[in-house]
Amino acid sequence: MSNASPASSTWSQRFESALHPAIARFNASIEFDIALIEYDINGSQAHARMLAHTGIISSDEGEQLVAGLEQVRQEYRQGYFTPGVEAEDVHFAVERRLTEIVGDVGKKLHTARSRNDQVGTDTRLYLRDQIQQIRVQLRDFQTVLVTLADQHVETLIPGYTHLQRAQPLSLAHHLLAYFEMSQRDWERLGEIHRRVNVSPLGSGALAGTTFPIDRHYTAQLLDFGDVYANSLDGVSDRDFAIEFLCAASLIMVHLSRLSEEIILWASQEFSFVTLTDSCATGSSIMPQKKNPDVPELVRGKVGRVFGHLQGMLVLMKGLPLAYNKDLQEDKEALFDAVTTVRACLEAMTILLQEGLEFRTARLHDAVNEDFSNATDVADYLAAKGVPFREAYNLVGKVVKTSLSQGKLLKDLTLDEWKRLHPAFEADIYAAIAPAQVVAARNSYGGTGFEQVRQALQTAKVRMNQTS
Ligand code: ARG
């Protein structure tokens, strides 16, 4: 380190020498917070307008700042403005370039604000936009789910508990379960949006400012729904980011569960779906293979998002009020979580839309070759007055003997049924046919076709909700 190096142009006269180059790199966030540049410019323009509006600077100065900031934006968009590590972060980079463009008036921009309230503002503006875009993507995902469900109301698929055959389902019912999850995701993001959409601008470094600013004015210009009531909280709160990471983690949980099912369904053992060529990949050595890379990658990417949530919680837990540089670490986590969720939602939407073909003949055979109608035999007797537990025990015995004889329930003769219990009649066969087994579960929210058709209608209405 050379003592002859000039004092940093960033800091006040208190500093006499420049940062060690490695420390400058270590300290800098420009490499990643450049992603916030447009939001930083929007925030600064609102701040400049407010300074002019309140008479803290002249209206002419305000206009010069706003126009200069606009030029910074254009230069960035056109690739002329590419600040490096010497700028430290996006906030300094923009202010410096502005001052080069408009001259000394640029130095007035930072009146009555701090990078602490500035970075909080930028991050919220960014996240607010991303949340809305993720909500649009969730709607696209739902549209594909509903379209697919529409085609498969009467396609039967084995239903499982403990990954053991349980009761047959309408495939549409199964798909609509994911609609419900994504609907909660959509609603949750809407609720979080309200708390993200609060302006910390004007909190200053931590204590507010001596200038007669108007925080509600900047909030209104930036379309914030509210302003932080406490300046310390305003600059140091990252609850909104943690809430988002929770919501993002839940979206990933849902996508991952669907991925896991698709991976199972595509296996030779299940063979419920075929992966189309547009969404599957081959093996470099085994020519027969078709791999479900898309759902596997989605399942794999979940860890990053959960990790960011955990990381952010740990980041916050020991921080004394108010701003601490630790908070610079919030951004990469947030950016990566946003990118990951968006990429996974896009990939899964495409996968559902064109990457899967349900093997309906195979699904039909599957539900016809198991004991997943056993509950229906018990229900049959219970409906005729036999206490359910008694009926349940009796059917257990039937399943046991049928298994030992290599038979299914539908293979029993009427005589055999009657010997088991006199209440059995010829209509037992119809009652245990898979389509009837499904149709009969007509309780609200059940898999009965009538219920599923109703649920599909409701899903279409709910999908058009805008708030
Ligand atoms: N780059 C910083 C961050 O991301 C901006 C705020 C810096 N504030 C400070 N007092 N050093 O958090």
Side-chain angles (χ1 to χ4, degrees), residues 29 33 89 91 115-116 119 323 325 327-328 331:
S29 52
D33 68 15
D89 63 21
H91 323 294
R115 279 186 303 158
N116 299 349
V119 71
Y323 180 87
K325 185 78 168 195
L327 290 175
Q328 182 164 286
K331 277 169 282 299

Side-chain angles (χ1 to χ4, degrees), residues 144-252:
V144 174
L145 271 176
V146 165
T147 307
L148 206 53
D150 241 336
Q151 297 159 10
H152 290 292
V153 172
E154 292 188 17
T155 304
L156 306 187
I157 185 169
Y160 298 83
T161 63
H162 313 268
L163 203 56
Q164 303 288 322
R165 292 278 179 96
Q167 290 165 352
L169 300 169
S170 150
L171 174 54
H173 191 56
H174 194 119
L175 295 169
L176 287 178
Y178 287 98
F179 176 90
E180 295 296 328
M181 297 177 221
S182 57
Q183 180 66 15
R184 286 195 294 275
D185 290 329
W186 185 88
E187 287 171 11
R188 195 167 6 253
L189 283 178
E191 286 150 19
I192 292 170
H193 184 273
R194 271 197 298 117
R195 283 185 291 280
V196 173
N197 200 25
V198 179
S199 173
L201 195 57
S203 296
L206 75 166
T209 171
T210 54
F211 290 93
I213 59 168
D214 185 342
R215 293 188 55 206
H216 293 91
Y217 188 78
T218 44
Q220 202 188 338
L221 288 178
L222 293 169
D223 214 15
F224 277 115
D226 205 350
V227 299
Y228 272 85
N230 179 298
S231 61
L232 287 170
D233 186 42
V235 290
S236 62
D237 170 38
R238 293 295 183 274
D239 290 0
F240 70 96
I242 293 175
E243 279 194 69
F244 170 76
L245 291 171
C246 284
S249 296
L250 279 171
I251 294 174
M252 293 304 289

Side-chain angles (χ1 to χ4, degrees), residues 4 127 134 166 302 313-314 388 422:
L127 193 56
I134 294 171
V302 170
L313 287 166
V314 174
F388 179 79

Side-chain angles (χ1 to χ4, degrees), residues 46-58:
H47 181 67
R49 288 198 167 98
M50 183 280 293
L51 291 176
H53 174 75
T54 50
I56 297 169
I57 60 174
S58 71

Side-chain angles (χ1 to χ4, degrees), residues 390-424:
E390 205 177 294
Y392 163 90
N393 286 330
L394 186 125
V395 179
K397 266 196 283 178
V398 184
V399 170
K400 190 172 160 189
T401 43
S402 301
L403 271 174
S404 71
Q405 296 167 0
K407 288 206 272 189
L408 292 165
L409 294 175
K410 64 180 177 191
D411 301 327
L412 269 70
T413 65
L414 189 53
D415 264 5
E416 286 172 310
W417 282 120
K418 281 193 176 295
R419 250 178 282 136
L420 287 161
H421 200 288
F424 283 116

